[in-house]
Structure formats: structure tokens, C-alpha cells
Amino acid sequence: MKKRPFRLTPYQVQWLLIVGFLTVGYALYLRYLAIELSTVALACDAGLQSMLCKTRLLMTYLFRNSVFGIAAVVIAVLHFIRPSIVLLTAGLVAAGFGIVLYNIALSGIAIGLLILGFARPAPATA
């Protein structure tokens, strides 16, 4: 019995496109309008308690500790072992944030592993 490789349906492709664009768009918003913008940085460092400052503080902590890159690699390895749309979506989100928010090396490896997941056979269904 020949196993078929992991393939996405058109609805899954549309879902991944929406999730990918939203993730990268939000990451770009955070990078250029919250983290790197000097007026926001000065206000947040001066003690402004807004949701944007709390999000900026959280994202800065996460990318300094390479959380996005490590999470993307772990999810990509799991997707490579057993491909599924859930793991592919989670890996895409983590890698999208990692690429935009300075975890480029680990997120690049994760994207490569996510692509290699398409060469694996799909899990058997009962």
C-alpha cells in the first residue's frame, strides 16, 4: 500500500494565507510602531501603563530570549514527524513572528522544516 504525501485542501491553503498575513502584519505593526518608534519607546520607558507598552515589553522579552525561534523549530520538527494542519498553522505563526522580530536564524530553519513536512506521508486515517 502506497502512502500519499501530505497535501492541503484549497480551504486549508486559504486559512494559512489569512493566518500568515495577519501574523506578519501584526508583527510588522509591533516592530515598527511599538518597538522601534522612539516616541513610543520613550513614553513606555518613562512609565506609561498602556496596553501597547505592555505588549511591547512582552514582545521584547520574548524575542530577546529567542522564544519565537525555539517554538517555531520545535513545532516544525513535530510537523516534520507527523504532518498536520494544526502544527503547520502554529509553526507558521511562530516562524512569522520570529522572522519579523529578530529570531531569523531559528525561524528560517523552522520554515525549511515546515516545507519539508510536505514530503512526508500523511498520517493514516482509521
Side-chain angles (χ1 to χ4, degrees), residues 1-8 78-85 115-125:
M1 181 174 168
K2 183 179 178 187
K3 288 189 175 183
R4 296 177 46 213
F6 178 68
R7 297 281 184 250
L8 297 175
L78 291 174
H79 173 72
F80 182 73
I81 293 170
R82 187 165 177 91
S84 75
I85 186 66
I115 293 170
L116 282 176
F118 289 107
R120 302 278 302 163
T125 57

Side-chain angles (χ1 to χ4, degrees), residues 105-118:
L106 289 173
S107 296
I109 292 169
I111 289 174
L113 284 172
L114 288 173
I115 293 170
L116 282 176
F118 289 107

Side-chain angles (χ1 to χ4, degrees), residues 2-101:
K2 183 179 178 187
K3 288 189 175 183
R4 296 177 46 213
F6 178 68
R7 297 281 184 250
L8 297 175
T9 66
Y11 291 116
Q12 291 172 336
V13 172
Q14 291 172 1
W15 166 252
L16 289 175
L17 283 171
I18 291 168
V19 169
F21 280 122
L22 287 176
T23 300
V24 172
Y26 186 63
L28 285 169
Y29 165 77
L30 286 175
R31 178 177 175 175
Y32 291 113
L33 295 177
I35 295 172
E36 289 185 2
L37 191 62
S38 61
T39 55
V40 174
L42 290 173
C44 290
D45 291 341
L48 180 66
Q49 294 296 320
S50 68
M51 191 64 174
L52 182 63
C53 290
K54 291 176 184 177
T55 305
R56 178 183 183 272
L57 184 66
L58 174 69
M59 292 298 162
T60 305
Y61 176 79
L62 291 177
F63 76 73
R64 281 192 182 155
N65 293 311
S66 298
V67 173
F68 296 120
I70 293 169
V73 168
V74 168
I75 293 169
V77 167
L78 291 174
H79 173 72
F80 182 73
I81 293 170
R82 187 165 177 91
S84 75
I85 186 66
V86 175
L87 289 173
L88 184 60
T89 304
L92 182 69
V93 168
F97 270 110
I99 290 289
V100 176
L101 294 175

